[in-house]
Amino acid sequence: RRAASINAEYMGAHFETANKRYTILDAPGHKLYVPNMISGAQQADVGVLIISARKGEFEAGFARQGQTREHSILAHTLGITRVVVVVNKMDDHTVKWDKERFDDIVNRIQDFLTHKVGFKEKYVKFLPVSAQTGDNILKKVSPELCPWYKGESFIGTLDELKKIKRCTDEGLRIPVDIFDVAGKKTAVGKVESGKVYIGQKLVLMPEMIKTEVLTITIDEKEAEIADTGEQVTVLIKQPTNDSIVNGAYVICDEENPCPRVREFECLLEIKELMAHKPLMSAGYQAVIHVHNAAKPCEVVAIDNLADMKTGRFSKKPPPFLKEGQAAVMRLRVPTLIPLESSIPLGRFTLRDEGKTIAIGKVTSTDEKTFGQWVQKEAAKGKEKIKEKKSGKKSKKEKVPTAWPLV
């Protein structure tokens, strides 16, 4: 749907090249529709960040309140690890395929994505394009028009991306939106882990409604089975009880459902707070966006202050948090929500008054294990210190991820 020429909802489309099959999820860019952008981005494997090279437009989008920053942070939080930055409108009269302008944008975006957001430099690609003229989209831009660019076209860059590792051996998890289509229950979403097949017994979380797979469609083609990473449309059997099955759910295998909770422990990093609410403490209320769900939530308690640079945790609970700080805390939602510590169901954002204020990851969904994650991270830190003192260095982890409680 479009409102006043603004893309208001994410939309999907499919296309294939000689090497790969793609599903496009066109997420809205306007700040009023960020919740819809989150719904689309949480299904993606690769983020395509489109930047305007036109003078004035890039600066506006990259400003503190601009959407380029917020969308980048959200994409990383939602599990996207690879980004293709498309610098568009290179044909504009204020740019004219100028290398200096392109390099300036690359330097500023690269620094932000790698140092401020957390993307790995090797997984961030940049390329200049003109969508209006089609230059460097399907075919490489001509040397006469852009002699300094030696890379691949946009489609060529996507084709060159290495295959993404999938959670194929874990339980079935499909965050879906369920609709009534011609009187039939239709679920649309991405297979985040496991496999789904015709005849499979399912349970819809968090309501624990039992159902069964009737048909599976991938890219508008019928299939018998869908693996991890596939965008699917699943026709499910109408529940026998009087349950109203519409809206956001997580599809799980009947024998291995995900947890459903009202209170959980998490590591939360504050990005930006409201000017009239500069502190976060117990009782702070916001809206949590996790997979395809959005619910009001409240801070129950802040247990340990966390230093994201050193990995240190405080023993004493801080009375409040300020912008830029992080902590292990407990959050509560009014109704049951499906959550677990894995990436698809365990990475979330907090929004307040239409702005993203924090990002977080679930550390525990069981009250009996609250506090154990910090203890485990502290134990890892002690081992790192011992290795450092003894002159040994871990090959897998060059930088310590956790240190002892202080």
Side-chain angles (χ1 to χ4, degrees), residues 313-383:
F313 301 94
S314 67
K315 286 184 178 180
K316 296 181 179 179
F320 56 82
L321 293 177
K322 297 184 292 184
E323 187 174 308
Q325 290 186 315
V328 176
M329 62 173 64
R330 283 168 280 155
L331 298 180
R332 181 187 294 133
V333 291
T335 56
L336 291 169
I337 187 172
L339 283 179
E340 57 189 353
S341 56
S342 64
I343 289 180
L345 302 188
R347 300 295 184 269
F348 64 90
T349 63
L350 290 189
R351 306 192 82 235
D352 190 11
E353 298 183 18
K355 292 184 179 180
T356 300
I357 62 168
I359 60 175
K361 68 175 182 178
V362 176
T363 55
S364 176
T365 56
D366 185 354
E367 291 185 28
K368 296 178 182 179
T369 63
F370 286 178
Q372 291 185 10
W373 182 84
V374 172
Q375 296 297 332
K376 289 179 180 178
E377 293 299 302
K380 290 180 184 178
K382 289 181 180 180
E383 290 299 319

Side-chain angles (χ1 to χ4, degrees), residues 260-294:
R260 56 176 192 161
V261 299
R262 283 194 177 92
E263 186 173 326
F264 61 95
E265 182 191 73
C266 64
L267 175 64
L268 191 78
E269 183 179 0
I270 307 296
K271 291 296 183 181
E272 181 181 2
L273 291 173
M274 302 294 102
H276 59 285
K277 294 192 289 183
L279 303 177
M280 177 181 285
S281 59
Y284 191 102
Q285 296 181 342
V287 176
I288 182 173
H289 292 262
V290 55
H291 45 84
N292 60 340

